[in-house]
Amino acid sequence: MAGGGTSEPPADCAQVADIEVRGERVRFGVVERADTAFDPAADHNRAYVLIGVRSFSLGGSVPGRPESGRAPSRWVEFGTDFVAEVLAVGSAVTTLAPGDRVVPVLTWPPVRPDAVSAPENPGRASRQVQRVHHAGLLRLPPGAGDAEAACLPTAGATAYAMVRRAAVAQGDSVLVTAAGSTTSLAAVQAARLAGGEVYAVSHDGAAAPTLTELGVTRSFSAAEPGDWAELTALAKSLRGFDAILDPAWRSHFRLAAKLLGFSGRYVAGHDPAAEDAAADWAPAAASLVAKNASFAGQRRGGREDLAAAVDDLVSGRLQMPVSTPFRGTDVGPFVLGGLDPHTTGGVTYAF
């Protein structure tokens, strides 16, 4: 669990970390609680499933991050992405069974799973045992590792949706920004599977070896002025990129938009910076309009995008680089690793 400011932790909470998240103090702790009660025969559980989380990642939720809002005055669960085992199913559930492994389907905007149920709260991946509507889960086939799959609900689904929105086709030149994040690493591979020739720009070049292994034609470092000059020259030689996939779009938007070719497609993911983009919009929009280019936002993906990412992971067509999972009281290092923009690949916590 996590709480901000001067909030008091639950009486049974063992505090294990006190860190700064985007300039705000956030404390984390481990709480032992009785398992969630679940009667499969009860009518209110008929469409629900009881799951036990095996591994989770931050995804798009940790108190203190701009997209999650300010750290709360009370202690709450956090994280959106997980891999879980089905423990029990309601009487109307026919697509899942105890023992199945599942991941959440994180749609945007959130929707009601049925006419009478409230939208699911996606920000509670750190709760080990949960009651979840079956419509919000996707069954994992054998062959997907827990740590790798725990990064797919946000990163994999978003990346595959971005490639779909950009209509990447055989022979397209594609630039992926923020390369090193799980979303960008998945986008690199999804774009290559669609037939694109992929280039990448990362924060500091640390992800270059991984990007090369994943088939990127060439990667550039945003921290090196010389690399930006070479990237600009490359774009000019290509007559602009056919598509730009920019998961953290305000990090590179002003400069990257100028690298797009005529009738190019720019797809932006969810922005974690929460900064005022007004200064970026004027020059970037002028460049997009002059090129008859399109700009589309893509926050998360749909069930079909997640299913495609899962299928490619199981078949070996998609690799999801992850670090060794954190466990026990290593909550602070887990959160800091997941928030570090220089981290290459996924960071997970295993129960």
Side-chain angles (χ1 to χ4, degrees):
M1 299 187 73
T6 58
S7 60
E8 290 296 324
D12 54 350
C13 177
Q15 184 172 317
V16 295
D18 187 336
I19 63 177
E20 185 176 290
V21 180
R22 302 289 196 269
E24 187 169 0
R25 180 193 180 198
V26 184
R27 291 173 293 162
F28 296 84
V30 177
V31 181
E32 294 287 344
R33 289 182 173 169
D35 288 347
T36 302
F38 187 88
D39 178 3
D43 186 64
H44 61 271
N45 286 331
R46 63 190 309 272
Y48 282 80
V49 176
L50 188 69
I51 59 172
V53 175
R54 296 161 57 107
S55 181
F56 76 97
S57 63
L58 296 180
S61 172
V62 64
R65 293 187 77 176
E67 65 271 31
S68 304
R70 293 182 59 81
S73 58
R74 58 187 178 85
W75 284 58
V76 296
E77 294 90 3
F78 62 96
T80 56
D81 295 23
F82 60 77
V83 170
E85 180 180 347
V86 174
L87 304 177
V89 301
S91 59
V93 178
T94 59
T95 56
L96 297 172
D100 286 345
R101 287 188 310 146
V102 293
V103 291
V105 179
L106 303 173
T107 57
W108 184 262
V111 296
R112 293 178 179 272
D114 56 39
V116 297
S117 300
E120 299 278 4
N121 172 18
R124 56 175 188 167
S126 64
R127 179 191 286 266
Q128 189 173 11
V129 179
Q130 305 180 26
R131 174 181 176 269
V132 182
H133 196 284
H134 76 95
L137 298 170
L138 178 72
R139 188 176 70 85
L140 284 176
D146 281 355
E148 292 80 5
C151 298
L152 286 184
T154 293
T158 301
Y160 276 61
M162 293 179 77
V163 170
R164 173 173 53 81
R165 289 289 296 276
V168 176
Q170 187 69 39
D172 279 351
S173 57
V174 181
L175 176 66
V176 178
T177 71
S181 71
T182 49
T183 302
S184 293
L185 294 178
V188 161
Q189 297 171 81
R192 291 192 70 245
L193 288 170
E197 182 173 9
V198 181
Y199 301 84
V201 57
S202 60
H203 288 287
D204 58 7
T210 299
L211 293 168
T212 299
E213 291 177 6
L214 297 179
V216 169
T217 301
R218 184 177 175 188
S219 62
F220 302 83
S221 169
E224 297 293 335
D227 272 21
W228 270 111
E230 292 182 23
L231 177 58
T232 301
L234 171 65
K236 185 176 181 180
S237 71
L238 295 171
R239 301 181 66 85
F241 289 99
D242 295 307
I244 295 179
L245 309 178
D246 193 358
W249 66 276
R250 290 185 197 170
S251 298
H252 304 293
F253 182 45
R254 181 188 298 191
L255 295 174
K258 298 178 181 179
L259 306 179
L260 197 62
F262 192 82
S263 297
R265 291 90 65 195
Y266 197 115
V267 181
H270 180 47
D271 169 38
E275 298 170 353
D276 183 6
D280 290 341
W281 267 110
S287 178
L288 293 173
V289 171
K291 298 171 183 175
N292 281 0
S294 64
F295 178 90
Q298 185 64 55
R299 180 173 182 179
R300 297 181 178 165
R303 176 178 287 270
E304 68 280 7
D305 301 304
L306 178 58
V310 167
D311 287 345
D312 284 344
L313 180 69
V314 172
S315 68
R317 293 188 296 268
L318 172 67
Q319 299 178 47
M320 186 58 69
V322 292
S323 59
T324 301
F326 289 96
R327 300 175 183 272
T329 60
D330 286 336
V331 178
F334 159 63
V335 173
L336 289 173
L339 294 177
D340 187 349
H342 304 292
T343 297
T344 299
V347 180
T348 61
Y349 181 95
F351 285 107

